[in-house]
Each structure stands twice: as structure tokens, then as C-alpha cells.
Amino acid sequence: MQALSALSSLTSGGRRDPGWQVQLRVDYVVNQVSLTHRGQSEDAIKDAIQEQLRVYGVVPNKRQVSKYAQAISALPQVQPSSR
């Protein structure tokens, strides 16, 4: 009987697609920037994304960064909670 492909990848060390760590880093940075820069100008968001990606050793894709910046700038700003 052959093992299921999903289960066999877990037991054999699990192969992943090339670049999966890079995508995790991009996702993390975009999430962080979306929390801190939402509703700001696209240029400020692009700069923030590019700077933070370089910290993690990722060379940013300008087209992808532009799409993220456009989406984040369209989000409403979060009002700080008054406690």
C-alpha cells in the first residue's frame, strides 16, 4: 500500500517549493506595514516595505510592492484607542 502524498511529504523531511521563506518574509513585512502605514501615501508605504524587506535580505519586486502599497493606502487609518 502506498502512503498518501501529503502524509509522505511529512515523513520524508517535507520538500517545499523554492522561495517559500522569501514569501513568508514578504507576507510578514506587508502585514506589519499594513498595521502601521494604512491610509498613508503610496510612496511612503513603498519606501517602508522596501526598507523592511531589505532588512530581511529580500530584494523587493517593484511591481509587487506597488500593488501592496496601493492596497494598503486604500485602507482606512486606524484610530488609536484612548485608554
Side-chain angles (χ1 to χ4, degrees), residues 9-37:
S9 67
L10 293 175
T11 59
S12 65
R15 284 182 56 165
R16 297 188 184 206
D17 293 331
W20 68 273
Q21 289 180 336
V22 172
Q23 188 59 50
L24 283 177
R25 293 172 185 164
V26 170
D27 292 345
Y28 176 77
V29 166
V30 169
N31 285 329
Q32 293 302 310
V33 170
S34 71
L35 294 174
T36 58
H37 290 74

mmCIF file of all heavy atoms in Angstrom, residues 9-37:
data_model
loop_
_atom_site.group_PDB
_atom_site.id
_atom_site.type_symbol
_atom_site.label_atom_id
_atom_site.label_comp_id
_atom_site.label_asym_id
_atom_site.label_seq_id
_atom_site.Cartn_x
_atom_site.Cartn_y
_atom_site.Cartn_z
ATOM 1 N N SER A 9 5.089 13.378 2.467
ATOM 2 C CA SER A 9 5.999 14.519 2.489
ATOM 3 C C SER A 9 6.331 14.938 3.913
ATOM 4 O O SER A 9 7.384 15.494 4.170
ATOM 5 C CB SER A 9 5.394 15.703 1.725
ATOM 6 O OG SER A 9 4.263 16.195 2.408
ATOM 7 N N LEU A 10 5.442 14.643 4.846
ATOM 8 C CA LEU A 10 5.721 14.969 6.242
ATOM 9 C C LEU A 10 6.758 14.027 6.828
ATOM 10 O O LEU A 10 7.576 14.427 7.636
ATOM 11 C CB LEU A 10 4.436 14.895 7.074
ATOM 12 C CG LEU A 10 3.369 15.932 6.771
ATOM 13 C CD1 LEU A 10 2.111 15.639 7.589
ATOM 14 C CD2 LEU A 10 3.879 17.325 7.074
ATOM 15 N N THR A 11 6.725 12.774 6.417
ATOM 16 C CA THR A 11 7.638 11.795 6.991
ATOM 17 C C THR A 11 8.983 11.777 6.286
ATOM 18 O O THR A 11 9.960 11.304 6.856
ATOM 19 C CB THR A 11 7.022 10.388 6.938
ATOM 20 O OG1 THR A 11 6.740 10.052 5.584
ATOM 21 C CG2 THR A 11 5.773 10.313 7.780
ATOM 22 N N SER A 12 9.080 12.296 5.098
ATOM 23 C CA SER A 12 10.343 12.248 4.368
ATOM 24 C C SER A 12 11.095 13.579 4.420
ATOM 25 O O SER A 12 11.872 13.889 3.545
ATOM 26 C CB SER A 12 10.086 11.867 2.908
ATOM 27 O OG SER A 12 9.329 12.889 2.285
ATOM 28 N N GLY A 13 10.859 14.357 5.446
ATOM 29 C CA GLY A 13 11.573 15.613 5.562
ATOM 30 C C GLY A 13 10.826 16.781 4.947
ATOM 31 O O GLY A 13 11.190 17.920 5.149
ATOM 32 N N GLY A 14 9.780 16.541 4.213
ATOM 33 C CA GLY A 14 8.936 17.581 3.640
ATOM 34 C C GLY A 14 9.655 18.508 2.684
ATOM 35 O O GLY A 14 10.429 19.337 3.090
ATOM 36 N N ARG A 15 9.420 18.361 1.412
ATOM 37 C CA ARG A 15 10.001 19.254 0.418
ATOM 38 C C ARG A 15 9.079 20.438 0.218
ATOM 39 O O ARG A 15 7.874 20.293 0.173
ATOM 40 C CB ARG A 15 10.183 18.534 -0.906
ATOM 41 C CG ARG A 15 11.351 17.592 -0.905
ATOM 42 C CD ARG A 15 11.523 16.935 -2.217
ATOM 43 N NE ARG A 15 11.657 17.925 -3.282
ATOM 44 C CZ ARG A 15 12.096 17.635 -4.488
ATOM 45 N NH1 ARG A 15 12.411 16.411 -4.791
ATOM 46 N NH2 ARG A 15 12.204 18.568 -5.413
ATOM 47 N N ARG A 16 9.659 21.581 0.078
ATOM 48 C CA ARG A 16 8.880 22.789 -0.165
ATOM 49 C C ARG A 16 9.370 23.433 -1.447
ATOM 50 O O ARG A 16 10.496 23.225 -1.877
ATOM 51 C CB ARG A 16 9.036 23.753 0.991
ATOM 52 C CG ARG A 16 8.497 23.163 2.269
ATOM 53 C CD ARG A 16 8.488 24.174 3.336
ATOM 54 N NE ARG A 16 8.057 23.534 4.573
ATOM 55 C CZ ARG A 16 7.489 24.164 5.557
ATOM 56 N NH1 ARG A 16 7.290 25.442 5.480
ATOM 57 N NH2 ARG A 16 7.122 23.528 6.640
ATOM 58 N N ASP A 17 8.502 24.248 -2.011
ATOM 59 C CA ASP A 17 8.871 24.958 -3.225
ATOM 60 C C ASP A 17 9.995 25.945 -2.930
ATOM 61 O O ASP A 17 10.063 26.501 -1.840
ATOM 62 C CB ASP A 17 7.667 25.723 -3.782
ATOM 63 C CG ASP A 17 6.582 24.794 -4.281
ATOM 64 O OD1 ASP A 17 6.915 23.674 -4.704
ATOM 65 O OD2 ASP A 17 5.403 25.193 -4.253
ATOM 66 N N PRO A 18 10.855 26.175 -3.912
ATOM 67 C CA PRO A 18 11.897 27.181 -3.709
ATOM 68 C C PRO A 18 11.261 28.546 -3.483
ATOM 69 O O PRO A 18 10.266 28.901 -4.100
ATOM 70 C CB PRO A 18 12.678 27.169 -5.020
ATOM 71 C CG PRO A 18 12.224 25.992 -5.778
ATOM 72 C CD PRO A 18 10.933 25.543 -5.194
ATOM 73 N N GLY A 19 11.818 29.304 -2.606
ATOM 74 C CA GLY A 19 11.325 30.650 -2.361
ATOM 75 C C GLY A 19 10.254 30.764 -1.300
ATOM 76 O O GLY A 19 9.738 31.852 -1.063
ATOM 77 N N TRP A 20 9.914 29.685 -0.623
ATOM 78 C CA TRP A 20 8.835 29.772 0.361
ATOM 79 C C TRP A 20 9.228 30.650 1.537
ATOM 80 O O TRP A 20 8.380 31.344 2.104
ATOM 81 C CB TRP A 20 8.394 28.387 0.832
ATOM 82 C CG TRP A 20 9.412 27.643 1.650
ATOM 83 C CD1 TRP A 20 10.409 26.846 1.175
ATOM 84 C CD2 TRP A 20 9.526 27.630 3.067
ATOM 85 N NE1 TRP A 20 11.142 26.342 2.217
ATOM 86 C CE2 TRP A 20 10.625 26.800 3.398
ATOM 87 C CE3 TRP A 20 8.805 28.216 4.096
ATOM 88 C CZ2 TRP A 20 11.023 26.573 4.704
ATOM 89 C CZ3 TRP A 20 9.211 27.977 5.399
ATOM 90 C CH2 TRP A 20 10.300 27.166 5.693
ATOM 91 N N GLN A 21 10.508 30.656 1.912
ATOM 92 C CA GLN A 21 10.934 31.518 3.013
ATOM 93 C C GLN A 21 10.857 32.985 2.618
ATOM 94 O O GLN A 21 10.495 33.837 3.429
ATOM 95 C CB GLN A 21 12.348 31.178 3.450
ATOM 96 C CG GLN A 21 12.445 29.852 4.159
ATOM 97 C CD GLN A 21 13.863 29.536 4.580
ATOM 98 O OE1 GLN A 21 14.817 30.044 4.001
ATOM 99 N NE2 GLN A 21 14.000 28.698 5.590
ATOM 100 N N VAL A 22 11.176 33.279 1.386
ATOM 101 C CA VAL A 22 11.088 34.654 0.904
ATOM 102 C C VAL A 22 9.639 35.129 0.964
ATOM 103 O O VAL A 22 9.357 36.241 1.411
ATOM 104 C CB VAL A 22 11.642 34.773 -0.538
ATOM 105 C CG1 VAL A 22 11.369 36.142 -1.126
ATOM 106 C CG2 VAL A 22 13.124 34.456 -0.566
ATOM 107 N N GLN A 23 8.713 34.286 0.541
ATOM 108 C CA GLN A 23 7.304 34.677 0.567
ATOM 109 C C GLN A 23 6.814 34.886 1.997
ATOM 110 O O GLN A 23 6.025 35.786 2.260
ATOM 111 C CB GLN A 23 6.434 33.650 -0.152
ATOM 112 C CG GLN A 23 4.997 34.094 -0.322
ATOM 113 C CD GLN A 23 4.871 35.394 -1.099
ATOM 114 O OE1 GLN A 23 5.450 35.543 -2.165
ATOM 115 N NE2 GLN A 23 4.125 36.344 -0.567
ATOM 116 N N LEU A 24 7.294 34.072 2.929
ATOM 117 C CA LEU A 24 6.936 34.274 4.336
ATOM 118 C C LEU A 24 7.418 35.633 4.829
ATOM 119 O O LEU A 24 6.710 36.341 5.552
ATOM 120 C CB LEU A 24 7.528 33.175 5.208
ATOM 121 C CG LEU A 24 6.839 31.827 5.186
ATOM 122 C CD1 LEU A 24 7.596 30.841 6.061
ATOM 123 C CD2 LEU A 24 5.407 31.950 5.662
ATOM 124 N N ARG A 25 8.611 36.005 4.443
ATOM 125 C CA ARG A 25 9.165 37.293 4.850
ATOM 126 C C ARG A 25 8.381 38.439 4.234
ATOM 127 O O ARG A 25 8.095 39.441 4.902
ATOM 128 C CB ARG A 25 10.636 37.374 4.472
ATOM 129 C CG ARG A 25 11.484 36.409 5.264
ATOM 130 C CD ARG A 25 12.896 36.354 4.773
ATOM 131 N NE ARG A 25 13.607 35.318 5.526
ATOM 132 C CZ ARG A 25 14.756 34.811 5.155
ATOM 133 N NH1 ARG A 25 15.347 35.230 4.064
ATOM 134 N NH2 ARG A 25 15.335 33.887 5.890
ATOM 135 N N VAL A 26 8.029 38.301 2.973
ATOM 136 C CA VAL A 26 7.228 39.336 2.307
ATOM 137 C C VAL A 26 5.874 39.473 2.997
ATOM 138 O O VAL A 26 5.432 40.591 3.295
ATOM 139 C CB VAL A 26 7.052 39.016 0.799
ATOM 140 C CG1 VAL A 26 6.025 39.938 0.153
ATOM 141 C CG2 VAL A 26 8.384 39.105 0.076
ATOM 142 N N ASP A 27 5.224 38.360 3.272
ATOM 143 C CA ASP A 27 3.924 38.397 3.953
ATOM 144 C C ASP A 27 4.034 39.077 5.310
ATOM 145 O O ASP A 27 3.184 39.894 5.678
ATOM 146 C CB ASP A 27 3.364 36.983 4.134
ATOM 147 C CG ASP A 27 2.975 36.329 2.827
ATOM 148 O OD1 ASP A 27 2.857 37.042 1.808
ATOM 149 O OD2 ASP A 27 2.791 35.102 2.822
ATOM 150 N N TYR A 28 5.082 38.750 6.061
ATOM 151 C CA TYR A 28 5.266 39.339 7.385
ATOM 152 C C TYR A 28 5.436 40.857 7.291
ATOM 153 O O TYR A 28 4.789 41.612 8.015
ATOM 154 C CB TYR A 28 6.478 38.714 8.074
ATOM 155 C CG TYR A 28 6.784 39.337 9.407
ATOM 156 C CD1 TYR A 28 6.025 39.034 10.526
ATOM 157 C CD2 TYR A 28 7.832 40.249 9.547
ATOM 158 C CE1 TYR A 28 6.289 39.621 11.754
ATOM 159 C CE2 TYR A 28 8.097 40.831 10.767
ATOM 160 C CZ TYR A 28 7.323 40.514 11.870
ATOM 161 O OH TYR A 28 7.594 41.112 13.071
ATOM 162 N N VAL A 29 6.301 41.296 6.385
ATOM 163 C CA VAL A 29 6.560 42.729 6.234
ATOM 164 C C VAL A 29 5.311 43.464 5.780
ATOM 165 O O VAL A 29 4.974 44.526 6.307
ATOM 166 C CB VAL A 29 7.735 42.966 5.260
ATOM 167 C CG1 VAL A 29 7.816 44.417 4.826
ATOM 168 C CG2 VAL A 29 9.039 42.525 5.900
ATOM 169 N N VAL A 30 4.587 42.919 4.819
ATOM 170 C CA VAL A 30 3.375 43.570 4.325
ATOM 171 C C VAL A 30 2.335 43.674 5.441
ATOM 172 O O VAL A 30 1.681 44.706 5.599
ATOM 173 C CB VAL A 30 2.806 42.834 3.087
ATOM 174 C CG1 VAL A 30 1.419 43.327 2.730
ATOM 175 C CG2 VAL A 30 3.749 43.017 1.908
ATOM 176 N N ASN A 31 2.206 42.641 6.250
ATOM 177 C CA ASN A 31 1.267 42.694 7.375
ATOM 178 C C ASN A 31 1.666 43.762 8.377
ATOM 179 O O ASN A 31 0.815 44.500 8.886
ATOM 180 C CB ASN A 31 1.161 41.333 8.060
ATOM 181 C CG ASN A 31 0.349 40.354 7.262
ATOM 182 O OD1 ASN A 31 -0.564 40.728 6.546
ATOM 183 N ND2 ASN A 31 0.684 39.083 7.370
ATOM 184 N N GLN A 32 2.954 43.857 8.680
ATOM 185 C CA GLN A 32 3.417 44.866 9.630
ATOM 186 C C GLN A 32 3.198 46.277 9.093
ATOM 187 O O GLN A 32 2.739 47.159 9.820
ATOM 188 C CB GLN A 32 4.902 44.652 9.956
ATOM 189 C CG GLN A 32 5.185 43.391 10.723
ATOM 190 C CD GLN A 32 4.428 43.338 12.036
ATOM 191 O OE1 GLN A 32 4.461 44.277 12.815
ATOM 192 N NE2 GLN A 32 3.733 42.249 12.272
ATOM 193 N N VAL A 33 3.524 46.487 7.830
ATOM 194 C CA VAL A 33 3.353 47.813 7.227
ATOM 195 C C VAL A 33 1.869 48.165 7.129
ATOM 196 O O VAL A 33 1.488 49.323 7.318
ATOM 197 C CB VAL A 33 4.043 47.884 5.847
ATOM 198 C CG1 VAL A 33 3.688 49.154 5.106
ATOM 199 C CG2 VAL A 33 5.553 47.784 6.013
ATOM 200 N N SER A 34 1.022 47.178 6.877
ATOM 201 C CA SER A 34 -0.414 47.468 6.791
ATOM 202 C C SER A 34 -0.972 47.901 8.142
ATOM 203 O O SER A 34 -1.964 48.625 8.196
ATOM 204 C CB SER A 34 -1.190 46.270 6.251
ATOM 205 O OG SER A 34 -1.225 45.232 7.193
ATOM 206 N N LEU A 35 -0.334 47.493 9.220
ATOM 207 C CA LEU A 35 -0.778 47.927 10.549
ATOM 208 C C LEU A 35 -0.298 49.335 10.879
ATOM 209 O O LEU A 35 -0.988 50.084 11.565
ATOM 210 C CB LEU A 35 -0.265 46.959 11.616
ATOM 211 C CG LEU A 35 -0.840 45.543 11.571
ATOM 212 C CD1 LEU A 35 -0.136 44.659 12.590
ATOM 213 C CD2 LEU A 35 -2.331 45.557 11.818
ATOM 214 N N THR A 36 0.884 49.695 10.401
ATOM 215 C CA THR A 36 1.477 50.968 10.788
ATOM 216 C C THR A 36 1.291 52.086 9.771
ATOM 217 O O THR A 36 1.366 53.258 10.137
ATOM 218 C CB THR A 36 2.987 50.799 11.038
ATOM 219 O OG1 THR A 36 3.607 50.295 9.854
ATOM 220 C CG2 THR A 36 3.235 49.838 12.185
ATOM 221 N N HIS A 37 1.066 51.771 8.508
ATOM 222 C CA HIS A 37 1.040 52.790 7.459
ATOM 223 C C HIS A 37 -0.276 52.871 6.682
ATOM 224 O O HIS A 37 -0.351 53.565 5.676
ATOM 225 C CB HIS A 37 2.170 52.535 6.459
ATOM 226 C CG HIS A 37 3.525 52.801 6.996
ATOM 227 N ND1 HIS A 37 4.151 51.961 7.893
ATOM 228 C CD2 HIS A 37 4.382 53.819 6.772
ATOM 229 C CE1 HIS A 37 5.340 52.445 8.182
ATOM 230 N NE2 HIS A 37 5.500 53.577 7.515
#
